[in-house]
Amino acid sequence: MSKPSPRNRPLTLMSLGHTCVDVYQGAVAALVPYFVSERAYTYAAASGIVLAASLLSSVVQPLFGALTDRWAMPWLLPVSTVVGGVGVALSGVFDSYALTLVVVAVSGIGVAAYHPEAARVARVASRGSHTAMGWFSLGGNIGFATAPLLVAAVIATGGLRASPLLVVPALAGAALCAAALREVKAPLAATAAAARAAKGTGADDWASFLRLSGAIVCRSIVFVCLSAFIALYVRERVGGGEVAGTAGLFVLYIGGAVGTVIGGRLATRYSRVAVVRWSYALSVLAVAGVVFVPGPLLYGCVALTSAGLYVPFSLHVTLGQDYLPSRVGTASGVTLGLTVSVGGVASPLIGSLADATSLRTALAPLIVLPAIGWLLLRPLREPAEPERPAPVPVEEPPRADTVRGRR
C-alpha cells in the first residue's frame, strides 16, 4: 500500500483521529445491552445513559464552536480526544448508576469539544473539497462501526469491569491529532486571518442554516434512537442473542461509512442540496422497512437506513459552513455536533414507550422524522462557494535572452 502523499497526509491523519474519537460516540450505544444484562437496567434506564452522553454534549457543543470562531484552539483536539476516551473507559467501573451517568457525560463533553475545531481544521486540510471532507467524515463513521466490535471484544470477555481497556483508541487519537496539527500549522494561521477579515460582511444566511439544522435534528433523532436500541431490537426480531444484536449495530454503523463516501462523490456531480433531499426521502422508506420487515431481511433495511442517513452527513457540514462563512466554528458545532448529539434527548422517550408497549411500537414514530426533514430542506438553495485566497505568485528571475534584449 502506498504512503499518503504529503498533500493528503494532514487529512489522512485527521480522518484517523476522527475514527478514534467517534469510537466513543458508538461505544455508548454498544454498551447498552451489557448494562441491561449485567445490571438489569430497564430500557428507560439504559437509554438514560445515551442521554447523559448526548445532553450535555448538545448544550456545550455550540459554545465550543463559538469559542473557536473567536480564538483558534487547535490544542483542543488531542485534549478532548483523551477526555472522551477516559469517560467511556470509566463507565463500567462504578456500580452506581449516578456515577456511570457522570463519567459518560464527561465523555460527551470531550466529544463535543473535539468536533467544531476538528471540522475547521479538516476543511483547511481538505482545501474545500467535498470529496475530501467525505473522507474525513468517513473516519468518524468507521469509529462508529468498529465501536460495537471493540466493546464486544473487551466487555464480552472481561465484563463491564474491563472497560478501562477502552481508553486505548483515545491515546492513539491524541497522537494522530497532534501530528496532523503540525502538518497544517501555516495554513491554519492563514485561514484564521482570512476569517477575521470576513467578519461583519453580512454574508451569513441564517434562515437557510436554521432550516438545515432542523432537518439534521430529525435525522439525529432517528440515528441515535436506532443506535441505542437496534441491538436489542434485532435480537427480538431475528434471534441469535448478543451476536445478532452486535451484528445489527455493526451494520447500522458500517452502512454509514459507505453512505458518507457515496455522498461526497455524488456532491461532485450534483448539487449538495439535491443529494441531501433525496437521501432524506430514501430514509423514510428505509426506516419503515426496519420497523415492518421481518427476519434476516431486517439487516438489509438497517444497512439502507444507515446509508440514507449518512449520504448527507459530510454535506451537512460543508453546507452549514457555507451558509455561515464568517462563523465556521459555530456552523461546525451545530451541524457536526449539537444536531447530531441532540438525538439522544429523545432516546429516553423511546425507551419509556418501549417499556410501556413494545420496542417495535416505540420505533414506529421514527418513520415520520426523515419526511419532516425533507419538507424543511425543500426551500433551500445551494450556497455560493466561499472565495478562497489565490496563491501568491512567485516572481521568476528574468531569462538571459530577455536581459540581453534590454541592453
Side-chain angles (χ1 to χ4, degrees):
M1 180 177 177
S2 62
K3 294 182 180 180
S5 69
R7 179 180 175 88
N8 296 327
R9 178 179 163 84
L11 189 66
T12 301
L13 293 170
M14 287 296 299
S15 299
L16 293 172
H18 197 189
T19 298
C20 295
V21 171
D22 277 6
V23 160
Y24 299 107
Q25 293 210 82
V28 175
L31 285 166
V32 165
Y34 298 99
F35 285 122
V36 171
S37 60
E38 286 195 32
R39 298 182 181 175
Y41 288 168
T42 63
Y43 287 141
S47 60
I49 295 173
V50 179
L51 174 64
S54 302
L55 183 59
L56 195 55
S57 177
S58 300
V59 172
V60 302
Q61 201 130 202
L63 172 62
F64 281 112
L67 289 174
T68 58
D69 280 333
R70 190 173 180 86
W71 300 286
M73 296 193 293
W75 55 266
L76 266 180
L77 300 188
V79 171
S80 60
T81 301
V82 172
V83 172
V86 168
V88 166
L90 294 176
S91 64
V93 172
F94 305 108
D95 291 326
S96 165
Y97 182 70
L99 286 177
T100 301
L101 293 180
V102 168
V103 295
V104 170
V106 168
S107 175
I109 294 174
V111 172
Y114 170 86
H115 280 100
E117 185 69 1
R120 185 179 72 88
V121 174
R123 190 73 186 266
V124 172
S126 71
R127 297 172 295 277
S129 165
H130 303 316
T131 302
M133 281 298 289
W135 285 108
F136 169 70
S137 297
L138 173 64
N141 301 150
I142 292 173
F144 266 113
T146 55
L149 306 180
L150 177 64
V151 167
V154 172
I155 307 302
T157 55
L160 287 172
R161 295 289 181 184
S163 66
L165 293 174
L166 296 174
V167 78
V168 173
L171 302 179
L176 288 164
C177 289
L181 290 173
R182 286 195 295 270
E183 299 272 350
V184 296
K185 184 176 181 180
L188 277 176
T191 303
R196 286 192 296 270
K199 288 283 186 182
T201 61
D204 295 334
D205 183 354
W206 281 99
S208 295
F209 180 77
L210 291 175
R211 280 186 168 275
L212 176 68
S213 299
I216 306 174
V217 167
C218 294
R219 178 252 176 221
S220 172
I221 293 172
V222 175
F223 184 77
V224 174
C225 289
L226 286 178
S227 297
F229 296 111
I230 198 67
L232 297 169
Y233 182 66
V234 168
R235 285 162 60 178
E236 286 183 5
R237 299 292 304 280
V238 177
E242 290 182 355
V243 173
T246 299
L249 190 58
F250 176 75
V251 169
L252 180 70
Y253 290 163
I254 201 66
V258 174
T260 300
V261 174
I262 293 172
R265 294 191 179 279
L266 287 175
T268 63
R269 293 191 60 185
Y270 309 100
S271 77
R272 289 172 290 176
V273 171
V275 173
V276 170
R277 282 199 202 106
W278 281 109
S279 300
Y280 276 71
L282 171 65
S283 297
V284 176
L285 300 176
V287 176
V290 170
V291 175
F292 295 114
V293 171
L297 289 176
L298 176 61
Y299 288 111
C301 294
V302 171
L304 190 60
T305 297
S306 180
L309 294 174
Y310 264 96
V311 161
F313 187 73
S314 64
L315 308 182
H316 289 151
V317 179
T318 59
L319 279 170
Q321 290 173 337
D322 289 346
Y323 283 134
L324 300 183
S326 69
R327 292 174 174 83
V328 170
T330 299
S332 302
V334 174
T335 56
L336 194 59
L338 169 65
T339 48
V340 173
S341 56
V342 76
V345 177
S347 61
L349 301 177
I350 298 295
S352 297
L353 182 58
D355 287 329
T357 56
S358 70
L359 197 47
R360 184 182 181 187
T361 301
L363 294 178
L366 300 181
I367 300 170
V368 179
L369 291 171
I372 296 173
W374 181 83
L375 290 172
L376 288 170
L377 293 166
R378 281 196 66 189
L380 293 189
R381 297 291 179 266
E382 187 74 16
E385 292 282 352
E387 292 185 9
R388 308 194 184 280
V392 178
V394 178
E395 186 174 344
E396 297 182 2
R399 293 183 304 177
D401 58 347
T402 305
V403 173
R404 285 194 297 270
R406 290 176 182 169
R407 289 179 183 173

